[in-house]
Every structure is written in structure tokens, then in C-alpha cells.
Amino acid sequence: PMARTLMLVTGGRGPPSGHMPRVARGGGRVLGDMPTASASASASTSAAARSRGRGRHARGSVGGQGGSLDGSGFDGTDGARSGGAMHEVLQELVPRILRRKSFERTSIKDVREEAEDRLGLARGGLDDHREALKRIVTAYVMKHVENMDNSGFTGCACSSDHAPAQKRRREDLMESCVAGWRDMWETRRFTDAVVRCQGQSFQVHRAVLGARSPVLEAMFAQEGMREGFQREVDIADAEPDIVEAMLQYMYVGEVSDSVDCARLLRLADQYEVDGLAEVCARAVLEDLSAETVPTALCALRAHRHREVIEAAYERLLANVQHDKELLRALADHVRPPER
């Protein structure tokens, strides 16, 4: 995010004549324009002249009272004499300015000039506070970049016209969402479809099943098909407990330890249930033993056209090659050819 965010300082332009770019610690990014030694004397002299001349006239003309355009109550004349007072004013004013700016299109000069306008100062009225202003801007930008890193947001820091609005979320959002899906599965309120399997019926929500399975989504979307017109799906080539396990996963993303994942894998592949094939393949490998290896091998081999299943199948073969017990179990399972 640093590379995209710290364009604030130069606005994509090179440093002005007689200036050298100032480099931030650790990043090598340009943070502002710092006068060279050859230009510092003339810059300070002109700054003092501007502060004594135009600055006093401008401060006296703002609102007729020399007050602050920003509403801070800062009197420009007194503040110019007190570096500490001005520093406190800038600490509050600069973040408010930056929050409305696009970092990629704003330079420190833009911030300084807007601060002068808000404080009722003439151009150059903050020349004596350039370094303090740079430190405040740099600290704000660095803090903003750190917050973007922690939140996982990798885009540029932009104004409200160009960036998505910040959202306030409850800390237990994930837990509350899972609890809501679990409640839908357990209570079956407001269901609008049914899945049948060998005489058993499961009341379901079409929106949930359609979101988890593109195959079921296509079935429910076709009004000319029985599934779309009658809102019923028949699964005749599976056991009811396996069908129920698939439906439960669609709601809460969980598979019970008691479920035979080798059989569930077939339904996961048939209905293209998002994530379920991976869960089943992982469970098959975790439960691998001399008793389960024949079934596991057959299940993974039948569905290895999917990349995630192919990877699990290769791991199973590697385990068998290095485990004599598993290899012997497979050999015992092979039937001799009939004569």
C-alpha cells in the first residue's frame, strides 16, 4: 500500500527547482520538498517578509476579526509568534484536511495552502512551520497505511468520491452469521422447496441450495423442469443420511465425524457443492487405514478429474507405496481373475 499511498507527497510531480526530495525512513518514498542548503537562506528571508507584510494584512481582513476560517478560534497573529500554539492547531487541522483528500493527487504544498486558507493566512504564512507540517502529514499517512495493512485493504487511500465507504461491523460478525445459518437449518422456517430421498423428505430453502450448488440452481431456475415447477428434487442414488449431510453442509459448512465422506464425495462432485469435495477428500486421507484404504482408493480415483481430488489421490498413492500395511490391505482386496 505504501507504493500506492505515498503519492500524496508529490502528487506524481518531481521536486521544484532548488529543492531536494526528502526520503522517509525505511521506505525510500518521497514525503515532501525540503529546501537545499543553497536555497534555505533566501527561502527563510522571503518567508519572514511575507509573514510580516501580506500575512498581517490577510489576517486582519478575514471576517473583519482576524479569526480562524476553520472555526478553531486560532488568531493568526498571535499563533505566528508561538510555534507551540501553531503546532497544536496544525495537529488538529491537518488530519481533517487529509481525510477529504486523495493521497494520490495531493501534495504537501496543497495541504499547506489549504491550511493557510482555513487559518486566514496569506500564502507563505506557514513557511516557518513547514517541518512541523511535514511531520504531521507523514505521521498521518504512515498510520493510515498501517491501518490498511491490518485490515487487509490493498487499494489506495482515496477520498469519499473514489473509495468505498468505511463500514462499521460487529466484532462477532462471523459467529452471528454461522448462528443464523444454523438456525435456518434446524428450524426450517419459511422453506420453499423439498429434497426427497428414498421416502424421506428434507424441507429446504431454494436460495441457500442455489447459492451453494450451481447444479441445483439450474434445476430450480428452469420453470419447465419438474424441480423448477414443483420445487422438488429427487435424489434416488444415495442414502438419506448422506443426502442430509450434504444439505447440512450447504447451510452451516460442517460435516459430522460420523458421516462416511467417501460416499459423500460422490454427491459433492455430482452437485458441485462449493468446498465440500475438498472437505471430503481431506477427511478420507485423515481416516486412512488398512480397513478404509480400498474404499478410499476407489472413491478418490472415481472423481480425480477434479484438481483437488487428484491431489488427494496422488497423496494416497504415495502413502500406500511407503506403508506396507496399506499395500498389503490393497493386495488382499484385489480379487483373483476368474478362470
Side-chain angles (χ1 to χ4, degrees), residues 18-312:
H19 288 64
M20 292 177 58
R22 183 181 180 187
V23 179
R25 292 180 295 172
R29 271 60 171 183
V30 178
L31 293 183
D33 53 329
M34 183 173 66
T36 62
S38 61
S40 60
S42 59
S44 60
T45 302
S46 61
R50 288 193 297 270
S51 298
R52 288 193 301 270
R54 292 176 297 164
R56 180 172 302 173
H57 173 74
R59 287 193 295 271
S61 63
V62 175
Q65 298 178 354
S68 167
L69 288 178
D70 187 60
S72 61
F74 168 72
D75 181 0
T77 305
D78 295 335
R81 298 169 184 164
S82 174
M86 176 60 81
H87 185 75
E88 292 179 1
V89 172
L90 293 177
Q91 285 278 23
E92 296 183 1
L93 176 59
V94 170
R96 291 202 296 270
I97 295 175
L98 290 175
R99 279 195 290 269
R100 302 176 60 86
K101 296 288 186 181
S102 166
F103 284 6
E104 291 186 342
R105 293 181 293 275
T106 304
S107 66
I108 284 187
K109 179 183 177 182
D110 297 331
V111 177
R112 185 172 65 247
E113 290 180 351
E114 182 166 341
E116 290 170 347
D117 292 340
R118 292 196 183 197
L119 295 174
L121 302 177
R123 286 293 174 262
L126 290 177
D127 281 358
D128 293 340
H129 304 280
R130 280 175 175 247
E131 292 302 321
L133 189 141
K134 290 176 187 176
R135 287 194 296 270
I136 295 171
V137 170
T138 302
Y140 180 89
V141 173
M142 297 297 291
K143 181 178 179 180
H144 196 93
V145 170
E146 181 180 356
N147 291 340
M148 287 193 298
D149 287 340
N150 294 336
S151 65
F153 177 65
T154 58
C156 65
C158 300
S159 63
S160 58
D161 295 336
H162 301 281
Q166 296 292 330
K167 296 181 176 60
R168 296 176 176 84
R169 295 181 178 179
R170 55 186 296 179
E171 294 181 357
D172 61 340
L173 177 62
M174 294 302 298
E175 292 81 359
S176 64
C177 288
V178 172
W181 289 112
R182 190 180 301 278
D183 181 71
M184 290 181 65
W185 168 250
E186 294 177 351
T187 62
R188 310 293 175 91
R189 289 195 296 260
F190 311 118
T191 57
D192 57 0
V194 60
V195 175
R196 304 187 189 279
C197 177
Q198 298 185 13
Q200 293 194 27
S201 300
F202 304 96
Q203 299 294 326
V204 295
H205 304 83
R206 288 182 300 160
V208 176
L209 270 60
R212 301 294 187 266
S213 166
V215 175
L216 291 174
E217 179 187 21
M219 289 182 175
F220 288 131
Q222 297 294 330
E223 294 292 339
M225 298 179 61
R226 177 173 175 272
E227 292 83 1
F229 178 72
Q230 297 184 357
R231 300 180 181 180
E232 294 183 0
V233 176
D234 286 332
I235 302 179
D237 56 346
E239 296 77 11
D241 61 320
I242 301 300
V243 172
E244 184 177 19
M246 179 182 70
L247 297 176
Q248 180 179 355
Y249 177 85
M250 291 181 177
Y251 279 83
V252 300
E254 296 176 355
V255 176
S256 174
D257 292 338
S258 61
V259 174
D260 186 348
C261 287
R263 292 187 296 161
L264 181 58
L265 178 60
R266 187 182 63 79
L267 281 185
D269 181 37
Q270 178 179 348
Y271 290 96
E272 301 179 11
V273 182
D274 183 33
L276 183 55
E278 182 178 0
V279 171
C280 292
R282 186 168 59 246
V284 167
L285 291 179
E286 291 174 354
D287 297 338
L288 196 62
S289 65
E291 291 76 21
T292 63
V293 65
T295 303
L297 181 66
C298 293
L300 294 180
R301 183 174 57 188
H303 305 285
R304 66 179 186 271
H305 55 277
R306 297 193 178 278
E307 184 176 351
V308 63
I309 307 301
E310 173 67 20

